[in-house]
Amino acid sequence: MNHDAFRSIPPVNTITELISDQFGSAITNEVAGSLAKCVQDQVRQELQSGLQDDPGLLVTRRLKQLAQTLASPRLGRVLNGTGIVVHTNLGRAPVSERTSHAMSTAASSSVALEIDPVSGRRGGRMDEISTLLSILTGAEQSLVVNNNAAAVLLALTALAQGKKVAVSRSEAVEIGGGFRIPDVLAQSGATLVEVGSTNRTYARDFARAASDGAELFLKVHPSNFSIQGFVASPTLAELRDVAVSTGAILIEDLGSGTFVDTEAYGIDHEPTVRESIVAGADVVTFSGDKLLGGPQAGIICGKGRLIDEIAAHPLARAVRADKTSMAGVAETLRHYLRGDHETSIPVWMCIAASESSLRLRAGCIAATLDSGENTVDVATSVNYVGGGSLPGQSLTGHAVRLKASTSGEATELARSLRQATPVPVFGRIEENAVLVELRTIIPRDDELLTESMRNVLASLPD
Ligand SMILES: *Cc1c(COP(=O)(O)O)cnc(C)c1O
């Protein structure tokens, strides 16, 4: 160990001064002091682990990293140029302007969350959303929780604890992020009874499970995978008939849960929430921030008696939604009541964007950026809805393509775009080029996008 190096670690008060100089009023003297101790400790550890650098330099490097963290909030705005509409790693659905406004108002003020404005008496937290959802889906009652994973866990814990739950073998799936139906069932205290085979399951398999003691049937949207070929699965209506005749409760986890007919956009039919309720599901769960296009939330709709039972479970309090997301869900639902989702909710604006409009926008941006060296052009591409909805389904897209000479150069270019100003842009790499997909960018952001791309291109070495 190099003792000289240790002796030349700057003292805490020197580091504190450096920090105060660098960050000014962004942090208090007290924070600067404790930060200085941390930095000194980290540098000492680095030297202990064998690093040979100059201790003063190590301090400067640490402070530079800190400055970056403090200067650019990680959750600041970025543009989604990936061509995946509901992109989990980019925060899923951006909400509509009206929804964003409603959420911001609810966040910064008091709201009549649990008081009935007319009587002044305590009112139900879910009254408004429940009414909106009843109109839209025909469900008797609804409950909003933190996310759909919580919705499924809560519904099963409240209704299935200690009971047998029948699930088709093809639907005992993993959604991603550690959410696996068999594990969720185990966590809820239920016993999974797998029925049918991997590719073919029939209503009679559920009838047999019921006669063997299954008291619930769980139907799960397979989300991010599809099976093809020699396959069969019972419709929800068939399952309902078996459930009614055996006294079982029928729960459907819809995953995305759309309110819109997806076939109108040239993609396969995605079951709507209303269809599930009409077909006779007792309880339906879905996400707020996938195809609904609202804030993160999990929505549970269904029979009043069962929703009451779910809402009364102690876990309901642990996973309940806050006023901000509830205001956001309510405002998002109003778009579907008015039928203006296609012009207001970003997810549907993106899905509904016509190929010709995308080609036109890509062409305009490419023409603005091209400096005559033929490094920018328009590429026809493949886009996806994402978010575990409509697996295997794609939409034609048009992208602005920034060409590079090697794949390493393309990687560098993509990195620069992700750090671009005024707004970082997340594109995708295809061969030796970066594609920025127009489908997943709202037209009003085209100018910002152009500016960010222009700044990146201007900073490239000749
Ligand atoms: C996405 C999904 C979930 C989890 O929903 P979150 O809102 O991410 O918690 C559960 N089930 C299915 C079928 C899904 O597609």
Side-chain angles (χ1 to χ4, degrees):
M1 212 184 299
N2 182 347
H3 292 282
D4 284 346
F6 277 93
R7 268 195 295 277
S8 55
I9 297 177
V12 169
N13 56 358
T14 309
I15 304 179
T16 308
E17 272 169 36
L18 278 173
I19 292 174
S20 296
D21 285 350
Q22 190 167 345
F23 298 106
S25 60
I27 57 180
T28 66
N29 290 338
E30 209 180 336
V31 175
S34 51
L35 204 52
K37 283 199 203 82
C38 280
V39 170
Q40 203 190 40
D41 280 349
Q42 285 165 343
V43 169
R44 193 172 292 124
Q45 272 164 23
E46 282 174 327
L47 293 173
Q48 238 153 20
S49 67
L51 214 65
Q52 298 290 337
D53 292 356
D54 170 57
L57 251 168
L58 290 177
V59 169
T60 320
R61 197 182 299 158
R62 280 272 158 205
L63 293 187
K64 211 164 144 193
Q65 284 165 357
L66 272 170
Q68 267 165 5
T69 308
L70 290 180
S72 53
R74 174 70 179 268
L75 299 185
R77 174 182 196 192
V78 305
L79 294 177
N80 173 8
T82 63
I84 298 168
V85 178
V86 179
H87 197 301
T88 298
N89 299 350
L90 294 178
R92 291 202 186 157
V95 301
S96 76
E97 282 184 15
R98 283 177 88 124
T99 300
S100 156
H101 186 253
M103 291 177 76
S104 142
T105 305
S108 59
S109 52
S110 298
V111 296
L113 187 62
E114 294 184 8
I115 299 178
D116 174 22
V118 180
S119 66
R121 278 202 283 275
R122 192 170 171 157
R125 214 178 150 84
M126 292 296 156
D127 290 356
E128 182 194 20
I129 290 183
S130 231
T131 306
L132 294 173
L133 281 164
S134 295
I135 302 170
L136 283 163
T137 70
E140 288 173 18
Q141 216 162 300
S142 305
L143 182 67
V144 181
V145 295
N146 180 59
N147 57 10
N148 189 34
V152 178
L153 178 65
L154 172 62
L156 290 172
T157 308
L159 303 177
Q161 198 158 44
K163 297 181 180 162
K164 287 185 181 169
V165 178
V167 181
S168 165
R169 280 215 160 76
S170 66
E171 295 178 2
V173 294
E174 172 175 324
I175 311 302
F179 188 85
R180 299 176 127 183
I181 291 299
D183 297 346
V184 175
L185 273 167
Q187 184 62 39
S188 69
T191 307
L192 167 65
V193 180
E194 286 191 25
V195 304
S197 63
T198 308
N199 56 329
R200 291 177 82 88
T201 303
Y202 309 99
R204 63 171 183 270
D205 295 320
F206 281 85
R208 197 170 311 126
S211 63
D212 287 345
E215 294 178 66
L216 284 96
F217 299 163
L218 174 64
K219 189 166 173 59
V220 183
H221 190 296
S223 285
N224 39 18
F225 90 111
S226 59
I227 54 171
Q228 268 154 30
F230 190 57
V231 296
S233 61
T235 65
L236 197 64
E238 288 167 347
L239 279 186
R240 179 223 31 223
D241 290 346
V242 180
V244 167
S245 64
T246 58
I249 296 173
L250 179 56
I251 303 184
E252 182 169 32
D253 173 15
L254 270 181
S256 269
T258 179
F259 286 68
V260 175
D261 180 10
T262 47
E263 280 162 305
Y265 304 98
I267 38 187
D268 272 0
H269 184 73
E270 174 79 10
T272 67
V273 182
R274 175 174 277 279
E275 281 166 2
S276 295
I277 296 289
V278 169
D282 294 310
V283 173
V284 176
T285 71
F286 55 97
S287 283
D289 54 348
K290 289 182 180 171
L291 285 182
L292 190 68
Q296 179 186 305
I299 300 173
I300 311 176
C301 296
K303 299 261 160 69
R305 175 180 58 83
L306 296 173
I307 301 294
D308 279 344
E309 210 173 310
I310 294 170
H313 192 278
L315 191 58
R317 174 61 190 260
V319 298
R320 79 177 183 188
D322 77 315
K323 61 173 180 172
T324 311
S325 31
M326 286 179 61
V329 168
E331 204 57 39
T332 303
L333 293 175
R334 287 201 179 83
H335 284 299
Y336 294 100
L337 283 178
R338 284 190 301 269
D340 65 3
H341 49 276
E342 220 181 82
T343 50
S344 308
I345 297 182
V347 164
W348 291 102
M349 292 163 83
C350 293
I351 292 174
S354 71
E355 274 183 52
S356 56
S357 72
L358 297 176
R359 195 180 317 119
L360 198 68
R361 288 166 58 203
C364 279
I365 296 173
T368 312
L369 294 175
D370 194 15
S371 54
E373 287 163 35
N374 195 28
T375 51
V376 187
D377 67 358
V378 176
T380 303
S381 56
V382 181
N383 297 160
Y384 299 93
V385 175
S389 45
L390 302 158
Q393 294 284 299
S394 60
L395 298 156
T396 301
H398 294 280
V400 179
R401 175 165 52 193
L402 304 182
K403 292 187 237 171
S405 29
T406 62
S407 73
E409 229 178 86
T411 306
E412 266 318 303
L413 195 54
R415 192 202 315 274
S416 305
L417 280 166
R418 290 196 301 269
Q419 296 173 315
T421 55
V423 186
V425 180
F426 284 68
R428 62 187 186 86
I429 294 174
E430 197 177 274
E431 288 162 12
N432 293 348
V434 180
L435 266 61
V436 176
E437 296 285 352
L438 271 293
R439 179 178 296 280
T440 42
I441 292 170
I442 303 294
R444 64 169 175 265
D445 292 335
D446 281 3
E447 259 177 65
L448 267 179
L449 170 67
T450 311
E451 208 179 323
S452 288
M453 291 176 85
R454 187 188 289 122
N455 288 341
V456 167
L457 291 177
S459 69
L460 291 181
D462 287 329

